[in-house]
Amino acid sequence: MKSRWSDAEARRFIDQYAQKGVAEDLALRVYTSRLLGRDPALVQHGGGNTSLKTTAPDNLGRPVKVLCVKGSGWDLGDIEPPGLPACRLEPLLELRCLNSLPDEAMVAAQRTSLMDPAAPNPSVEALLHAWVSPRYVDHSHSNAILALADQPDGEARCRDLFGERVSIAPYCMPGFALAQLAASTFDARPEAEGMVLLKHGLFTWGEDARESYERHIACADMAERKLAAGRRTVAQVKRSLASTTNIAPVIRGALARLGKPMVLDHRGADEVMAFTAGADLDRLAQAGPATPDHVIRIKPWPLVLPEPGPSLTGIDFAEAVEAAAQAYADRYRAYFERNNARIDPKKTMLDVQPRVVLVPGVGLYGVGASKKDAAIAADIYETNIAVIGAAEGVGRFESIGEFDIFEMEYWSLEQAKLGKAKEKPLARKVVAVTGAGSGIGAATARAFAAEGAEVAVLDKDADAAKTVAKAVGGLAAPCDVTDDASVAAAFEAVVQAYGGLDILVSNAGYAPSGRIGEVSDKVLRDSFEVNFLGHQRAARAAVAIFRKQNTGGVLLFNASKQALNPGPDFGPYGLPKAATLALMRQYAIDYGADGVRANAVNADRIRTGLMTDEMIAKRSAARGISEADYMGGNLLRQEVTADDVAQAFVSLALASKTTAAVITVDGGNIAAAVR
Ligand code: ZN
């Protein structure tokens, strides 16, 4: 590991922030915090923290000594000056005379010390940063340091490597007690450049930003070099014949039965494959986290599944997964009860669902309430695999004990990092929308995303799909609903991205016309390919995933007014749409017992790619009325929009007891009303 300090970059930070009135020392604190935060071998997702002791003016312009320390909710990798809120230093220093301080009182004291009451909460390690006196303090969970410090003889190994250069402190629960331990460790040998906290990570300090940062890198580099001797090349591991698209929905379904639905994020790098196939998997997977604050993201241990060999891809594998998931939940409950009995006041148990699933021959799945959370869990477990691998290369990986893990997992200050925002109605649900690159499909993708769903944007036009997917933070997949292989590939991409599917909005279509006695078979056949078989292909692919998950599912079809109230010369469009309405009812009948609901939206006169401004002008002119009167030619006298149709799809997705129904969204047209 090399220092990435650059004088030119440092100067750029100083100049850029000077324009915003930020002092040089804080600009450099931002710079080196980002250097630490952007190296995944040092810091993962919100981990680590940094600080600076400086002065800031109070309301009367008098300089006050302050500690600028990382605020909660900020990531070191993209931190800005407001992410390092200033706390008055003096009141924090005074707290050192106490023997102990409850967590809530500590948080309150830290908040009270803020210069700006609107600033984020200072890091839970703020007192440690205050009591260790050098101006700059840097803390990371360096993989290499952890590989040496997560050992039964970690202290001897670190002492042997670092000599007097850094101090070494035993594991201690973060918060007030750790601040006391770190401060007394510092005071005992203030000449040390930093401190290894066994089974936790590394602190370094210095009088300027570069010194503290480069001491950090130097220590991590020494540890990396020490580990190099034990580094093994990662062997190519045989991958299971069962593709993740076959087994992910089985896993996702089993996890949903333990609580709320979850989203999965698959990883299959060589290191992951080697770990999950390793002879020591059972021991290493149960060994605990590489550093304590990982536990809130990955739980005390992952769920380990059997390898889905040829005999395990079907019913057998599903049964094995179900049994393993239930056993995980039982084990988690027992762990909670055993440890909760030791503390007072009592805690409320979190959910019993694993956050990481390991499958030999397939890889690992991060598990979370959203795609983002699942990816964070996967990233953090990949980091754990790296640390465990390096530790085992030179010795034997050892984490903190079970009770320490429990204290960390149920520490209120750690839980606060996860946030408590109320979930949106379609959170944790995966929805695929066909024809989502434009018109009603795009509006539907936006509407589902706004309700919290994970959205896969499927469209024949790959670029259009990408544009919409980017806007809704979802997956883009090219999908031509007339092509079996294209549909299969699109739904595989959905499962690869999210682990499964809960809702299909089958929307792709086009609107050919022609007088029925004179239209060619080709026009009719082509329309049936898209406007009927296209819906069937998408629905069949969705139902195949629903059945593997065994958690029900929702099929929503874009029917049309033409299905119920055909218009002149619109047979080539209306006939397959009428068949699609019947298709919806058939799915409702055949899969109702599996918990699959099927419904349709009957929309009319929506300004989209199917009904262009040009067509509207032509039709209104033909009727001798204005465009507004034509578009609002309904009982409500209002134009109906793609967003109105999208809301109807959302309503049907949420209507948990409604199946085989048609919702009309046309502003009121008695001739087209369902009868
Ligand atoms: Zn830490």
Side-chain angles (χ1 to χ4, degrees):
M1 182 170 286
K2 283 202 181 78
S3 166
R4 289 187 291 148
W5 174 277
S6 142
D7 284 335
E9 269 293 281
R11 174 46 57 191
R12 204 175 62 76
F13 270 75
I14 293 167
D15 293 345
Q16 184 196 321
Y17 283 110
Q19 290 170 8
K20 297 175 187 165
V22 174
E24 181 171 329
D25 56 359
L26 183 54
L28 291 175
R29 177 67 287 177
V30 169
Y31 172 49
T32 56
S33 297
R34 287 195 196 170
L35 290 181
L36 280 189
R38 290 187 182 178
D39 189 337
L42 293 172
V43 166
Q44 286 281 333
H45 297 290
N49 41 60
T50 58
S51 67
L52 161 69
K53 294 172 193 74
T54 184
T55 58
D58 68 8
N59 288 332
L60 300 176
R62 295 171 301 199
V64 178
K65 282 187 187 166
V66 295
L67 172 77
C68 295
V69 63
K70 195 189 96 164
S72 71
W74 283 85
D75 215 284
L76 288 182
D78 53 15
I79 203 158
E80 295 283 351
L84 291 152
C87 303
R88 288 171 191 271
L89 188 56
E90 220 42 59
L92 298 185
L93 293 176
E94 284 170 359
L95 293 173
R96 208 180 152 185
C97 67
L98 297 174
N99 287 324
S100 68
L101 186 63
D103 293 334
E104 287 66 26
M106 181 180 83
V107 170
Q110 289 175 184
R111 264 215 83 74
T112 318
S113 73
L114 283 168
M115 297 288 279
D116 172 5
N121 270 338
S123 162
V124 295
E125 308 297 5
L127 292 182
L128 185 158
H129 284 268
W131 298 350
V132 169
S133 56
R135 293 189 67 215
Y136 287 82
V137 178
D138 293 48
H139 170 48
S140 82
H141 304 141
S142 152
N143 288 1
I145 296 287
L146 287 174
L148 290 178
D150 290 358
Q151 299 272 353
D153 56 350
E155 182 174 0
R157 285 171 187 270
C158 291
R159 205 174 294 293
D160 176 51
L161 176 64
F162 294 118
E164 296 293 298
R165 188 165 180 168
V166 299
S167 298
I168 294 157
Y171 176 77
C172 168
M173 172 79 177
F176 192 84
L178 176 57
Q180 282 182 318
L181 173 68
S184 58
T185 305
F186 173 81
D187 289 347
R189 269 187 353 99
E191 68 281 8
E193 296 178 5
M195 167 175 53
V196 172
L197 291 177
L198 295 171
K199 298 181 178 175
H200 179 143
L202 174 68
F203 280 84
T204 54
W205 42 72
E207 285 309 311
D208 67 59
R210 181 175 185 172
E211 182 178 57
S212 181
Y213 165 72
E214 289 195 333
R215 284 174 168 180
H216 211 89
I217 300 302
C219 290
D221 183 60
M222 286 170 78
E224 276 187 0
R225 286 169 196 278
K226 183 78 184 172
L227 295 167
R231 190 179 302 139
R232 301 171 198 155
T233 49
V234 178
Q236 280 279 334
V237 172
K238 188 169 67 64
R239 285 167 199 259
S240 168
L241 294 172
S243 70
T244 173
T245 48
N246 273 328
I247 70 162
V250 174
I251 296 169
R252 183 165 183 259
L255 298 187
R257 279 183 286 283
L258 301 179
K260 293 179 182 169
M262 289 290 192
V263 177
L264 307 186
D265 187 80
H266 176 252
R267 303 291 166 93
D270 286 345
E271 291 75 10
V272 172
M273 301 303 292
F275 183 79
T276 56
D280 292 332
L281 177 65
D282 282 337
R283 172 174 65 89
L284 297 177
Q286 308 310 325
T291 187
D293 73 37
H294 285 175
V295 73
I296 57 166
R297 294 293 191 177
I298 60 174
K299 292 235 164 172
W301 358 261
L303 165 62
V304 181
L305 295 177
E307 179 168 0
S311 64
L312 282 174
T313 46
I315 303 273
D316 289 353
F317 183 65
E319 281 172 4
V321 171
E322 198 71 30
Q326 295 294 338
Y328 183 97
D330 291 343
R331 181 181 175 198
Y332 187 84
R333 279 186 207 101
Y335 149 85
F336 174 79
E337 276 155 24
R338 187 162 64 238
N339 291 290
N340 198 36
R342 295 176 59 179
I343 59 163
D344 201 52
K346 300 299 178 202
K347 301 284 184 178
T348 303
M349 191 174 70
L350 300 166
D351 68 72
V352 299
Q353 292 159 297
R355 290 299 184 277
V356 175
V357 179
L358 303 179
V359 192
V362 177
L364 83 78
Y365 293 94
V367 179
S370 64
K371 172 75 179 169
K372 185 170 161 253
D373 283 353
I376 291 175
D379 285 348
I380 287 181
Y381 206 78
E382 283 197 275
T383 298
N384 274 255
I385 288 175
V387 171
I388 293 169
E392 292 280 313
V394 296
R396 187 169 170 278
F397 175 78
E398 187 185 84
S399 180
I400 52 177
E402 181 184 276
F403 184 66
D404 291 326
I405 292 175
F406 173 83
E407 271 200 304
M408 202 64 196
E409 188 181 6
Y410 281 87
W411 190 27
S412 52
L413 306 189
E414 272 302 273
Q415 291 298 331
K417 287 186 190 169
L418 296 178
K420 300 177 221 50
K422 194 171 179 298
E423 287 194 327
K424 292 181 175 167
L426 289 171
R428 302 164 177 267
K429 299 286 190 184
V430 179
V431 56
V433 185
T434 67
S438 61
I440 291 172
T444 302
R446 287 195 298 271
F448 275 86
E451 298 300 333
E454 305 288 342
V455 180
V457 176
L458 276 47
D459 202 287
K460 196 171 66 170
D461 179 344
D463 290 335
K466 273 186 203 147
T467 305
V468 176
K470 196 166 173 228
V472 302
L475 169 80
C479 181
D480 175 353
V481 296
T482 67
D483 178 350
D484 283 327
S486 172
V487 171
F491 282 82
E492 269 182 28
V494 174
V495 171
Q496 185 70 42
Y498 302 107
L501 179 71
D502 303 295
I503 300 162
L504 166 69
V505 182
S506 187
N507 164 73
Y510 77 116
S513 56
R515 211 169 166 199
I516 198 64
E518 293 146 50
V519 76
S520 73
D521 281 358
K522 177 162 169 36
V523 167
L524 268 182
R525 271 206 193 95
D526 287 352
S527 182
F528 265 89
E529 272 301 327
V530 175
N531 291 319
F532 173 69
L533 284 169
H535 291 288
Q536 161 63 354
R537 288 188 188 94
R540 186 171 52 202
V543 165
I545 300 168
F546 295 166
R547 297 189 70 212
K548 282 183 197 140
Q549 288 174 163
N550 194 19
T551 51
V554 178
L555 299 173
L556 301 173
F557 297 88
N558 189 350
S560 160
K561 174 233 173 200
Q562 298 301 324
L564 296 149
N565 177 228
D569 298 343
F570 231 12
Y573 182 56
L575 293 170
K577 283 292 193 180
T580 294
L581 198 60
L583 180 74
M584 175 274 281
R585 292 185 173 136
Q586 199 62 48
Y587 270 101
I589 294 165
D590 288 356
Y591 295 97
D594 298 322
V596 176
R597 297 188 294 113
N599 294 291
V601 171
N602 157 32
D604 187 26
R605 227 169 270 193
I606 313 295
R607 202 184 290 267
T608 67
L610 299 198
M611 188 170 182
T612 59
D613 292 347
E614 196 187 332
M615 284 162 74
I616 293 165
K618 212 167 113 188
R619 289 186 192 180
S620 49
R623 288 166 173 79
I625 54 175
S626 73
E627 279 187 34
D629 282 346
Y630 174 70
M631 291 307 285
N634 54 45
L635 299 178
L636 297 176
R637 303 263 171 259
Q638 289 176 53
E639 179 173 344
V640 182
T641 67
D643 292 326
D644 297 322
V645 182
Q647 282 311 315
F649 281 124
V650 168
S651 303
L652 283 171
L654 291 167
S656 62
K657 300 289 169 67
T658 298
T659 193
V662 182
I663 284 195
T664 302
V665 186
D666 62 1
N669 175 357
I670 285 303
V674 182
R675 64 199 84 189

Coordinates of all heavy atoms in Angstrom, one line a residue, residues 155-168 185-186 188-196 205 215 219 222:
E155 N -1.8 -9.8 19.5 CA -1.0 -8.7 20.2 C 0.5 -9.0 20.0 O 1.3 -8.1 19.6 CB -1.2 -8.8 21.7 CG -0.4 -7.7 22.4 CD -0.8 -7.6 23.9 OE1 -1.7 -8.3 24.4 OE2 -0.2 -6.7 24.6
A156 N 1.0 -10.3 20.1 CA 2.4 -10.6 19.9 C 2.8 -10.4 18.4 O 3.8 -9.8 18.1 CB 2.6 -12.1 20.3
R157 N 1.9 -10.7 17.5 CA 2.2 -10.5 16.1 C 2.3 -9.0 15.8 O 3.3 -8.6 15.1 CB 1.0 -11.0 15.2 CG 1.1 -12.6 15.1 CD -0.2 -13.1 14.5 NE -0.3 -14.5 14.5 CZ 0.3 -15.3 13.6 NH1 0.8 -14.8 12.5 NH2 0.2 -16.6 13.7
C158 N 1.5 -8.2 16.4 CA 1.5 -6.7 16.1 C 2.8 -6.1 16.7 O 3.5 -5.3 16.1 CB 0.3 -6.0 16.6 SG -1.2 -6.5 15.6
R159 N 3.1 -6.6 18.0 CA 4.2 -6.1 18.7 C 5.5 -6.4 17.9 O 6.4 -5.6 17.7 CB 4.3 -6.6 20.1 CG 5.1 -5.7 21.0 CD 5.0 -6.1 22.5 NE 3.7 -6.0 23.1 CZ 3.0 -4.9 23.3 NH1 3.6 -3.7 23.0 NH2 1.8 -4.9 23.9
D160 N 5.5 -7.7 17.4 CA 6.7 -8.2 16.7 C 6.9 -7.3 15.4 O 8.0 -7.0 15.1 CB 6.4 -9.6 16.3 CG 7.5 -10.2 15.5 OD1 8.7 -10.0 15.9 OD2 7.2 -10.8 14.4
L161 N 5.8 -7.0 14.7 CA 5.9 -6.2 13.5 C 6.2 -4.7 13.7 O 7.1 -4.2 13.1 CB 4.6 -6.3 12.7 CG 4.6 -5.5 11.4 CD1 5.6 -6.1 10.4 CD2 3.2 -5.6 10.7
F162 N 5.5 -4.1 14.6 CA 5.6 -2.7 14.8 C 6.6 -2.2 15.8 O 7.0 -1.0 15.9 CB 4.2 -2.1 15.1 CG 3.2 -2.3 14.0 CD1 2.1 -3.0 14.2 CD2 3.5 -1.7 12.7 CE1 1.2 -3.2 13.1 CE2 2.5 -1.8 11.7 CZ 1.4 -2.6 11.9
G163 N 7.0 -3.1 16.7 CA 7.9 -2.7 17.8 C 7.3 -1.6 18.6 O 6.2 -1.6 19.0
E164 N 8.1 -0.5 18.8 CA 7.6 0.7 19.6 C 6.8 1.7 18.7 O 6.3 2.7 19.3 CB 8.8 1.4 20.2 CG 9.6 0.5 21.2 CD 8.7 0.2 22.4 OE1 8.3 1.1 23.2 OE2 8.4 -1.0 22.6
R165 N 6.7 1.4 17.4 CA 6.2 2.4 16.5 C 4.7 2.7 16.9 O 4.3 3.9 16.8 CB 6.3 1.9 15.1 CG 5.9 2.9 14.1 CD 6.4 2.5 12.7 NE 6.0 3.5 11.7 CZ 6.5 3.5 10.5 NH1 7.3 2.5 10.1 NH2 6.1 4.4 9.6
V166 N 3.9 1.7 17.2 CA 2.5 2.0 17.6 C 2.3 1.2 18.9 O 2.9 0.3 19.2 CB 1.5 1.5 16.5 CG1 1.7 2.2 15.2 CG2 1.6 0.0 16.3
S167 N 1.3 1.7 19.6 CA 0.8 1.1 20.8 C -0.2 0.0 20.4 O -0.8 0.1 19.3 CB 0.2 2.1 21.8 OG 1.2 3.0 22.2
I168 N -0.4 -0.9 21.4 CA -1.4 -2.0 21.1 C -2.4 -2.0 22.3 O -2.0 -2.1 23.4 CB -0.7 -3.3 20.9 CG1 0.2 -3.2 19.6 CG2 -1.7 -4.5 20.7 CD1 1.3 -4.2 19.5
T185 N -3.9 4.7 26.7 CA -2.9 4.1 25.9 C -2.0 5.2 25.3 O -0.8 5.1 25.2 CB -3.5 3.2 24.8 OG1 -4.4 2.3 25.5 CG2 -2.5 2.5 24.0
F186 N -2.7 6.2 24.8 CA -1.9 7.3 24.2 C -1.0 8.0 25.2 O 0.2 8.2 25.0 CB -2.9 8.4 23.6 CG -2.2 9.6 23.1 CD1 -1.5 9.6 21.9 CD2 -2.1 10.7 23.9 CE1 -0.8 10.7 21.4 CE2 -1.4 11.9 23.5 CZ -0.8 11.9 22.2
A188 N 0.3 6.9 27.9 CA 1.4 6.1 28.3 C 2.6 6.2 27.4 O 3.7 6.2 27.9 CB 0.9 4.7 28.5
R189 N 2.3 6.4 26.1 CA 3.4 6.5 25.2 C 3.1 7.5 24.1 O 2.8 7.1 22.9 CB 3.7 5.2 24.6 CG 4.8 4.4 25.4 CD 5.3 3.1 24.8 NE 4.6 2.6 23.6 CZ 5.1 2.8 22.4 NH1 6.2 3.5 22.2 NH2 4.5 2.3 21.3
P190 N 3.0 8.8 24.4 CA 2.6 9.8 23.4 C 3.5 9.9 22.2 O 3.1 10.4 21.1 CB 2.6 11.1 24.2 CG 3.4 10.9 25.4 CD 3.4 9.4 25.7
E191 N 4.7 9.3 22.3 CA 5.6 9.4 21.1 C 5.2 8.3 20.1 O 5.7 8.4 18.9 CB 7.1 9.1 21.6 CG 7.4 7.8 22.1 CD 6.9 7.5 23.6 OE1 6.2 8.3 24.1 OE2 7.3 6.4 24.1
A192 N 4.3 7.4 20.4 CA 3.9 6.4 19.4 C 3.2 7.1 18.2 O 2.6 8.2 18.4 CB 3.0 5.3 20.0
E193 N 3.2 6.5 17.1 CA 2.6 7.1 15.9 C 1.1 6.7 15.8 O 0.4 7.3 14.9 CB 3.3 6.7 14.6 CG 4.7 7.2 14.6 CD 5.5 6.7 13.3 OE1 4.8 6.1 12.4 OE2 6.7 7.0 13.2
G194 N 0.7 5.7 16.5 CA -0.7 5.3 16.4 C -0.9 4.1 17.4 O -0.2 3.9 18.3
M195 N -2.0 3.4 17.1 CA -2.4 2.4 18.1 C -3.3 1.4 17.3 O -4.2 1.7 16.5 CB -3.3 3.1 19.1 CG -4.1 2.2 20.0 SD -4.9 3.1 21.3 CE -5.8 4.3 20.3
V196 N -2.9 0.1 17.5 CA -3.7 -1.0 16.9 C -4.7 -1.4 18.0 O -4.3 -1.7 19.2 CB -2.9 -2.2 16.5 CG1 -3.8 -3.4 16.2 CG2 -2.0 -1.9 15.4
W205 N -2.1 9.2 14.3 CA -2.3 10.6 14.6 C -1.1 11.4 14.2 O 0.0 10.8 13.9 CB -2.6 10.9 16.1 CG -1.8 10.0 17.0 CD1 -0.4 10.2 17.2 CD2 -2.2 8.9 17.7 NE1 0.0 9.2 18.1 CE2 -1.1 8.4 18.5 CE3 -3.4 8.3 17.9 CZ2 -1.2 7.3 19.3 CZ3 -3.5 7.2 18.7 CH2 -2.4 6.7 19.4
R215 N 1.3 8.0 8.2 CA 1.6 7.0 9.3 C 0.6 5.8 9.1 O 1.0 4.7 9.3 CB 1.5 7.7 10.7 CG 2.7 8.5 11.0 CD 2.4 9.3 12.3 NE 3.7 9.9 12.8 CZ 3.8 10.6 13.9 NH1 2.7 10.8 14.6 NH2 4.9 11.1 14.2
C219 N 1.7 1.9 8.3 CA 1.4 0.8 9.2 C 0.7 -0.3 8.3 O 1.0 -1.5 8.4 CB 0.5 1.2 10.3 SG 1.4 2.2 11.5
M222 N 3.1 -2.0 6.1 CA 4.0 -3.0 6.9 C 3.2 -4.3 7.1 O 3.7 -5.4 6.9 CB 4.4 -2.4 8.2 CG 5.5 -1.4 8.2 SD 5.7 -0.5 9.8 CE 6.7 -1.8 10.6

